[in-house]
Amino acid sequence: MSHPSNTQRREALADKVYYAVKQDIFDFRLLPGDRFSENELAERLNVSRTPVRQALFRLAREGYAEVIFRSGWQVKAFDFDYFEELYDLRILLECEAVKRLCALSPSRSSHALAAEKAFWIEAPVLSTGQQVALQDEAFHHALVAATENKQFTLLHRELTEKISIIRRLDFTRDDRITATYQQHRAILHAIFHQQSEQALSLLTDHITESKAAVRNITLHRLQQARRTAQVPATD
């Protein structure tokens, strides 16, 4: 029976720290501008400073954190121009996917998007923002995955990961949850009826609406998101 090497154990611990800090950022427990030290993380996660440092430099390379000279680490501020460029790329990818879906027969497109139809059209409406945010990501992934183009799907997943933190803010308000349900249903109906121009228009407007909201993100909204994330769930 083989045992993990010291290198493998260090890499596993670094992964543990990486995903823990990233989740804190995505769930708004850490906000842009928040500072923290390697020692604080090491103590909280019960690991040494070496895997903490490895994880933080990985997060820095991905644009989530930055080291502050003699002051530890900081969650990186949002680069709004960068996010808007990513949204433009997302529109191109998903519109191409929708064009291909509308070219399929209704039975084939309905089969390819059966899970999305079941959730967005047939199932009861959810009101929990975090759950809807995850299903929203799954909806847009499904549009691209249905093309069966592996490179499209890979690029779209990487793109979604980069803008995920911004997109999840869209689901901290009830009106945005309601709008997402309405817009997703309309897009699916247009696809199933091979209404290509209608589907493309609806999808573009849907994503552009989210893109416009990026510029309205303020520290106040982020603080609200943090408070929402900290409210314990009730049965």
Side-chain angles (χ1 to χ4, degrees), residues 79-91 159 163 166 207-208 210-216:
D79 181 343
F80 293 108
D81 291 334
Y82 169 74
F83 282 116
E84 288 190 354
E85 289 173 359
L86 292 178
Y87 269 93
D88 288 342
L89 177 57
R90 182 181 163 210
I91 289 172
L159 176 63
I163 64 175
I166 291 286
I207 300 176
T208 300
S210 293
K211 176 184 171 183
V214 169
R215 286 290 181 182
N216 294 323

Side-chain angles (χ1 to χ4, degrees), residues 47-60:
V47 297
S48 69
R49 285 183 60 185
T50 299
V52 167
R53 191 174 298 110
Q54 290 175 330
L56 291 177
F57 276 112
R58 180 179 172 187
L59 288 163

Side-chain angles (χ1 to χ4, degrees), residues 97-117 142-149 188-194:
V98 164
K99 284 181 188 177
R100 298 187 183 197
L101 283 166
C102 287
L104 300 177
S105 67
S107 61
R108 285 189 64 191
S109 62
S110 184
H111 176 73
L113 298 172
E116 307 317 308
K117 179 183 177 183
L143 295 180
V144 178
T147 66
E148 298 184 352
N149 184 309
L188 288 171
H189 281 303
I191 291 172
F192 296 152
H193 290 86
Q194 296 179 297

Side-chain angles (χ1 to χ4, degrees), residues 165-188:
I165 185 172
I166 291 286
R167 290 180 65 196
R168 291 186 187 187
L169 283 170
D170 238 3
F171 301 97
T172 57
R173 291 166 38 195
D174 291 342
D175 62 317
R176 291 299 304 134
I177 293 174
T178 300
T180 298
Y181 266 95
Q182 293 171 343
Q183 291 162 5
H184 283 192
R185 286 169 175 168
I187 292 166
L188 288 171

